[in-house]
Amino acid sequence: MEHGTADPRRRVPRTDEVLNDPRLIAAAGRLGRAPVKAAVIAAQQLARAGDLDPAAVADTALATLPATPGGLLPVLNATGTVLHTNLGRAALSAAAIEAVTAASGHTDVELDLATGRRARRGRATLTALAAAVPAAGAVHVVNNGAAALVLAATALAAGREIIVSRGEMVEIGDGFRLPDLLESTGARLREVGATNRTSAADYAAAVGPATGFILKVHPSNFVMRGFTSAAGIGELTGLGVPVVADIGSGLLAPDPLLPDEPDAAGALRAGAALVVASGDKLLGGPQAGLLLGEAALIERLRRHPLARALRVGKLTLAALHATLEGPATPTRRALHADPDVLRDRTTRLCERVAAAGVDATVTPSAAVVGGGGAPGLELPSWALSLPERYAAALRTGRPPVAGRVEKGRLLLDLRCVPAVADDTVHAAILAASSAAGG
Ligand SMILES: *Cc1c(COP(=O)(O)O)cnc(C)c1O
């Protein structure tokens, strides 16, 4: 190099100079000035340390900019876990994405355009939800399943008792436990039964003047086997107090693929006064908490002051509506994906990367539903098997590809990767191959 002996720090271009590059000006117009400036400063530091040609500062800053604004990187989910909590659970359908975009400006979320008067917020979405579950007298939507439980506990049992089985005092993840959540509302928990067995008589013996409601919680992230029994909703409806069913998953109607997952319609038909569920689990929609049940109870929840603090935004209402009425969600398509088609896609991908010298094989894989429901259920699937060192390179590549490591190999299961993204996965593996050293 011509100036090889000169101090490289002298030749590193100034921040303002680099920021004047037309490509970076355009990027700042799209992403904002802060991330562009941060990328430039990071590239300058590399150049000062002698790890980057000072002439390449602008190029490097450009290459390290996020592809999208928003601070969240889109990730290709090749883990084989359909509802991966750390990857944001359900992926929205194209219809839901279009609905979110359409609702992102000013919308008629609370205005009746025909009369020019204020209208019930999100009425079209609530109508769609009610239509999807005719067994519900009325419906309401809040921010997530936990918020739905908090609203029910506050409005129906603050200062009173919630009767719950010791086998259903569950932790939902990241250290959050339903009993703590419920007690935070001022309701008292009246625990009944044993961890493995609770009978209808246990509930009946606990019912009294202080009872707010009986809570049935679906164990959505664990399975209990052996000497177990639990009382069904139908056995608890004659006790003179409402039964609230937290079904977790958000299945509105039964899915034959998931025989052990409760659904909202079934719980209501069994006699639950109120059903609580998540919007971004098996329903495949946005993060939301669904409340379905007796009209009088729903009206009490809707009118409670806390409801205002838990209300959903217009983007959620739009995405939920499109999820309820639109075509099959990515969640549903991933759950019902044909294993033979998955094997064909995986085999083609394997042939392509093997031809480029990558140590790859095709192997059977057991996909799972994930934190959103159906614990213990395995979905027969296929995976591309790569050396373990590809895991970090693929995870930190652009776009990131998340797989799972099993027995010293990285497995990429295409069940939750849209087929149109197979070329992207192919390119990511080749890029990772250079990064991971072949
Ligand atoms: C997931 C889950 C919750 C919490 O719902 P969020 O939407 O995550 O707030 C509550 N109860 C059960 C049974 C669940 O599975």
Side-chain angles (χ1 to χ4, degrees):
M1 210 191 284
E2 188 180 354
H3 300 290
T5 54
D7 181 350
R9 275 169 298 190
R10 286 181 179 277
R11 294 179 292 116
V12 175
R14 288 187 14 235
T15 310
D16 289 358
E17 250 172 70
V18 185
L19 284 171
N20 267 333
D21 184 306
R23 297 169 302 169
L24 290 171
I25 290 174
R30 205 166 56 81
L31 302 170
R33 198 174 145 86
V36 176
K37 192 169 171 185
V40 168
I41 289 171
Q44 285 173 313
Q45 275 162 0
L46 284 178
R48 280 194 200 102
D51 294 333
L52 179 71
D53 180 352
V57 166
D59 286 353
T60 301
L62 204 61
T64 54
L65 281 173
T68 47
L72 299 177
L73 283 177
V75 175
L76 286 168
N77 175 11
T79 61
T81 299
V82 178
L83 297 165
H84 198 300
T85 302
N86 303 150
L87 296 178
R89 289 196 188 149
L92 291 183
S93 65
I97 293 167
E98 190 183 337
V100 167
T101 307
S104 58
H106 296 142
T107 73
D108 64 344
V109 64
E110 240 178 78
L111 180 69
D112 182 341
L113 293 170
T115 63
R117 294 215 185 88
R118 177 182 187 147
R120 184 169 174 194
R121 184 180 174 83
R123 62 213 170 279
T125 304
L126 296 171
T127 303
L129 179 57
V133 188
V139 300
H140 185 59
V141 179
V142 292
N143 258 317
N144 52 28
L149 274 174
V150 162
L151 183 56
T154 308
L156 310 178
R160 312 183 68 199
E161 288 181 355
I162 298 173
I163 301 176
V164 61
S165 160
R166 292 194 170 85
E168 298 176 9
M169 312 266 285
V170 305
E171 175 169 321
I172 51 181
D174 195 25
F176 287 100
R177 294 174 173 168
L178 286 191
D180 300 340
L181 184 80
L182 294 167
E183 284 181 328
S184 77
T185 67
R188 294 186 305 276
L189 289 191
R190 179 78 183 265
E191 302 169 25
V192 297
T195 304
N196 56 332
R197 289 173 78 86
T198 305
S199 68
D202 293 324
Y203 289 92
V207 169
T211 306
F213 57 82
I214 292 173
L215 178 65
K216 282 289 296 171
V217 182
H218 175 58
S220 58
N221 53 9
F222 68 101
V223 193
M224 262 199 313
R225 281 210 191 80
F227 186 54
T228 65
S229 76
I233 293 169
E235 299 173 70
L236 306 175
T237 53
L239 302 177
V241 294
V243 177
V244 176
D246 175 9
I247 62 168
S249 75
L251 269 191
L252 300 183
D255 184 336
L257 183 75
L258 311 166
D260 297 330
E261 277 304 296
D263 65 286
L268 289 168
R269 274 198 307 273
L274 193 66
V275 170
V276 170
S278 295
D280 56 351
K281 293 182 180 172
L282 290 170
L283 182 63
Q287 179 187 304
L290 315 180
L291 289 144
L292 310 99
E294 290 171 7
L297 279 189
I298 294 287
E299 191 56 18
R300 269 174 77 187
L301 302 186
R302 206 170 74 79
R303 285 278 144 222
H304 192 280
L306 185 61
R308 178 61 179 78
L310 306 177
R311 81 172 191 187
V312 287
K314 60 185 178 172
L315 304 183
T316 301
L317 289 166
L320 181 58
H321 192 177
T323 301
L324 289 164
E325 292 196 338
T329 62
T331 300
R332 190 174 171 76
R333 285 210 303 270
L335 285 174
H336 292 265
D338 180 348
D340 290 341
V341 174
L342 293 174
R343 187 182 48 197
D344 287 350
R345 285 172 58 197
T346 312
T347 304
R348 231 172 304 134
L349 184 61
C350 185
E351 284 163 4
R352 291 170 75 191
V353 299
V358 174
D359 162 15
T361 56
V362 175
T363 178
S365 157
V368 295
V369 174
L377 182 85
E378 293 192 344
L379 305 164
S381 204
W382 294 90
L384 185 74
S385 164
L386 298 169
E388 184 174 345
R389 65 178 183 280
Y390 277 70
L394 280 167
R395 218 176 44 237
T396 53
R398 292 291 176 270
V401 179
R404 70 177 193 276
V405 172
E406 252 174 40
K407 297 186 189 127
R409 298 285 288 182
L410 173 69
L411 303 187
L412 299 182
D413 185 324
L414 299 179
R415 178 177 286 269
C416 307
V417 176
V420 293
D422 284 359
D423 285 345
T424 310
V425 177
H426 171 243
I429 294 170
L430 296 193
S433 158
S434 355

